[in-house]
Amino acid sequence: MKFILPTIILFTLIACSRDKSEKTTDPKATKETVNLYKNLKKVMDRGYMVGHQDDLAYGVNWKYESGRSDVKDVTGDYPAVYGWELGHLEIGADTNLDGVPFRKMRSFIKDGYERGGVITISWHGNNPMTGESAWAPQEGTVISILPGGEKHEIFNGQLDRIADFMLSLKGNKGELIPVVFRPFHEHTGGWFWWGTKTPDDEYKSLFRYTVDYLKNTKKVHNLLYVYNTGTEFSNAEEFLKRYPGDDVVDMVSFDTYQRGDASVDSSYTRGLDLRLGIIEQVAAEKDKIALLGETGYSQIPYPEWWTKRLLPGIGNHRISYVLFWRNAGYKAHENEIEYYVPYDGQPSAPDFIKFYELPQTLFQKDITYAEMYE
Ligand code: BMA
């Protein structure tokens, strides 16, 4: 008899701790979405997944070649995380702002998911007040699109398109594909319309309104929501300045890029280490999951960047994944070359292979469908 009470207490504690670690903010999240959340936590015991934006669509000097990927050309393996971008979906376009047709994107998303890959989506949506690009901040934008604002119905129409897209992502069994959604990212900088031209409380309202509309009005239940700042913070308080609430955020993140000459400058590494430490702590305290939303060194001119600059920055921080930005190649409209993972023959390819071979870096072959979604 005397063991009954302690046993009950023990089981209650186990049940509560399990409930805590498996909870997403959407009580109606689909089974696969809840499983993904749970497994993203689990995967951190093994290391961190490696992802790449637009990986299956194009790379440096190629486009839409079935099965191709710059990551795979170099390592023989796909990334474990696939990033995609919805900019211009909100205005009803057939292709996104980088020229990727949404029809093809849907099918790439399914390919990655069926292999057990994780899908993450960003949204550089046009300014709903002015109709200009995401990079055209103007005071008053956010207030104009929130309830009571002049452009509120326009914004709802944009969210309807986002919702339709999310609900069109289906796996082989007809189940919804879970998406790690990263809306209104890099909001601590001044370049986007949801950035620092928007007062903090309006930013929070925008985030909360968006989650509420997608979840409760549009019944979208296959999303995990990421609160994703830029690099402009150096302590937890600054990081959380625009945090919209524990009830609407599943994951915490920031974006940071290596600039300048990495062969002599290690400030990127120090900054990465510092900020990962901060979000890791925030995630632990709030029972959320940390990740690195976007990073990279365009054109990787320092061939040992992967093991000498990136790797020591990530160190042993508990993050679920790191995503490298897109291999756009030559961008004629800007007369600029942009890519963040090596292609076959690029000088940093051997070092990227070293990075690939580390036990803690998880690529597609390290992740099965069952491990991520069951
Ligand atoms: C930026 C660049 C742009 C692109 C945008 C959205 O960082 O890659 O060329 O349009 O992301 O994907």
Side-chain angles (χ1 to χ4, degrees):
M1 265 311 257
K2 70 174 182 216
F3 294 114
I4 291 181
L5 194 59
T7 312
I8 291 174
I9 291 173
L10 182 67
F11 276 100
T12 313
L13 282 175
I14 292 171
C16 287
S17 68
R18 184 176 303 137
D19 179 49
K20 197 182 170 211
S21 73
E22 293 180 4
K23 211 166 60 185
T24 76
T25 55
D26 181 356
K28 293 192 180 147
T30 65
K31 187 174 86 202
E32 286 75 17
T33 308
V34 174
N35 288 345
L36 173 63
Y37 184 75
K38 193 176 69 187
N39 290 323
L40 282 170
K41 285 199 165 178
K42 230 195 229 168
V43 93
M44 291 189 281
D45 294 336
R46 292 164 61 197
Y48 48 91
M49 294 186 284
V50 176
H52 187 211
Q53 182 76 0
D54 283 350
D55 187 77
L56 305 174
Y58 56 81
V60 179
N61 295 327
W62 64 271
K63 245 183 196 174
Y64 310 124
E65 291 181 29
S66 178
R68 195 162 174 193
S69 140
D70 278 347
V71 169
K72 184 163 175 274
D73 281 356
V74 170
T75 64
D77 197 359
Y78 289 109
V81 177
Y82 301 88
W84 299 100
E85 161 62 36
L86 295 187
H88 288 185
L89 180 76
E90 76 285 347
I91 54 169
D94 293 331
T95 62
N96 83 352
L97 76 172
D98 300 319
V100 181
F102 291 110
R103 188 178 40 82
K104 282 191 193 289
M105 195 187 294
R106 232 179 243 120
S107 132
F108 290 135
I109 286 175
K110 183 163 184 270
D111 290 349
Y113 164 75
E114 291 296 346
R115 281 199 279 267
V118 173
I119 307 303
T120 178
I121 288 187
S122 52
W123 179 26
H124 293 76
N126 278 2
N127 182 320
M129 182 174 83
T130 62
E132 290 177 80
S133 84
W135 291 264
Q138 192 152 316
E139 270 162 43
T141 300
V142 169
I143 205 74
S144 85
I145 66 175
L146 287 173
E150 258 173 47
K151 305 287 177 178
H152 183 54
E153 285 316 315
I154 290 181
F155 185 56
N156 281 349
Q158 298 195 342
L159 291 177
D160 289 343
R161 289 185 167 121
I162 300 296
D164 290 348
F165 185 84
M166 298 299 190
L167 293 173
S168 75
L169 304 174
K170 303 262 178 77
N172 282 337
K173 300 185 298 289
E175 80 284 17
L176 286 164
I177 297 176
V179 170
V180 174
F181 188 35
R182 218 162 52 85
F184 314 125
H185 67 304
E186 295 181 8
H187 57 83
T188 47
W191 45 92
F192 294 132
W193 59 258
W194 56 85
T196 48
K197 277 231 164 96
T198 296
D200 296 346
D201 57 331
E202 285 176 28
Y203 179 84
K204 292 181 193 177
S205 302
L206 172 69
F207 201 104
R208 295 190 67 82
Y209 179 78
T210 300
V211 174
D212 177 65
Y213 189 84
L214 293 177
K215 195 161 68 176
N216 299 321
T217 306
K218 302 302 291 186
K219 316 273 182 241
V220 180
H221 298 300
N222 52 329
L223 304 183
L224 296 174
Y225 290 92
V226 187
Y227 171 74
N228 192 135
T229 70
T231 317
E232 306 78 10
F233 68 96
S234 39
N235 55 51
E237 196 191 335
E238 285 169 14
F239 176 73
L240 293 170
K241 201 161 166 262
R242 300 177 134 208
Y243 186 72
D246 287 340
D247 57 334
V248 289
V249 171
D250 297 296
M251 304 172 77
V252 290
S253 168
F254 66 97
D255 295 354
T256 187
Y257 285 87
Q258 167 87 57
R259 315 262 181 220
D261 182 355
S263 69
V264 293
D265 181 0
S266 62
S267 56
Y268 166 86
T269 309
R270 279 179 277 118
L272 185 57
D273 178 38
L274 168 79
R275 293 183 181 89
L276 286 177
I278 294 166
I279 67 163
E280 184 183 11
Q281 186 68 27
V282 166
E285 277 164 17
K286 292 181 169 297
D287 192 29
K288 307 292 177 192
I289 301 176
L291 64 103
L292 182 52
E294 285 178 36
T295 198
Y297 185 22
S298 191
Q299 302 183 43
I300 328 140
Y302 174 43
E304 291 177 293
W305 184 77
W306 303 97
T307 57
K308 295 269 165 45
R309 293 290 179 256
L310 174 74
L311 191 63
I314 300 181
N316 292 322
H317 293 296
R318 254 182 99 72
I319 54 169
S320 52
Y321 71 77
V322 43
L323 183 97
F324 300 108
W325 202 241
R326 66 196 198 101
N327 275 20
Y330 178 64
K331 300 193 289 186
H333 57 293
E334 288 163 52
N335 192 24
E336 182 195 304
I337 297 171
E338 184 186 27
Y339 59 85
Y340 299 91
V341 301
Y343 50 87
D344 200 10
Q346 199 272 341
S348 82
D351 198 54
F352 188 70
I353 294 171
K354 282 190 193 157
F355 176 71
Y356 169 77
E357 284 170 348
L358 293 167
Q360 72 268 35
T361 58
L362 309 174
F363 287 68
Q364 187 67 83
K365 284 178 187 163
D366 301 306
I367 302 290
T368 65
Y369 182 88
E371 280 166 341
M372 285 331 282
Y373 297 105
E374 287 176 3

